[in-house]
Amino acid sequence: MTVTVLTLLKRRKGMSKADFIAYYESRHRLIGEKVLKGWATRYQRNHLHPLDGTDAPHDYDVVLEIDFPDQQTCDACFAAMADPATRREIIEDEERLFDRSRMRTYRLEARASSL
């Protein structure tokens, strides 16, 4: 059974949305691909754009979705990312991009309706 991990991310203060997306997609994404390769089956970044065009302080900027084939693989991936060198690389780049105090990660339990 597929396990989906969802993370809500907020850009760091003072960074424009355009600069945030450009940095994420040209640099931080590559770290994600490197550490998730062999574990995850999908690494999707959903950049959020408010329908009213107004960014509010409480808003998030991206919804990150990562799929794993099962819980065991998910757990093994997160254990591998806890390696000190890997963790340091991730955190150092996150500090250039995100308000780390706002990061929230969840395991999804999806329920869909047929319409």
Side-chain angles (χ1 to χ4, degrees):
M1 181 171 121
T2 300
V3 172
T4 300
V5 173
L6 179 140
T7 302
L8 300 174
L9 300 160
K10 176 75 177 163
R11 69 184 183 268
R12 68 174 170 75
K13 189 173 183 160
M15 183 176 234
S16 74
K17 187 174 287 261
D19 287 346
F20 172 79
I21 293 170
Y23 187 94
Y24 200 142
E25 295 301 320
S26 68
R27 303 205 42 201
H28 193 74
R29 171 188 59 87
L30 301 176
I31 295 171
E33 290 173 355
K34 180 176 75 171
V35 300
L36 295 169
K37 189 173 182 159
W39 306 102
T41 58
R42 183 174 68 104
Y43 171 47
Q44 180 169 314
R45 291 137 338 263
N46 302 290
H47 296 280
L48 302 174
H49 302 277
L51 291 177
D52 66 4
T54 304
D55 282 332
H58 61 273
D59 287 344
Y60 284 94
D61 294 295
V62 67
V63 176
L64 172 63
E65 296 178 61
I66 304 170
D67 287 346
F68 297 93
D70 52 48
Q71 189 64 53
Q72 181 180 359
T73 304
C74 177
D75 293 344
C77 179
F78 278 88
M81 287 191 304
D83 168 76
T86 301
R87 190 82 194 118
R88 185 171 39 258
E89 178 182 18
I90 293 168
I91 290 172
E92 285 176 0
D93 202 60
E94 285 176 350
E95 289 174 343
R96 293 181 185 101
L97 189 59
F98 303 119
D99 175 349
R100 294 189 75 245
S101 71
R102 299 277 312 276
M103 296 170 84
R104 296 286 295 156
T105 300
Y106 305 87
R107 181 182 56 82
L108 294 185
E109 182 179 312
R111 311 268 173 102
S113 298
S114 296
L115 303 176

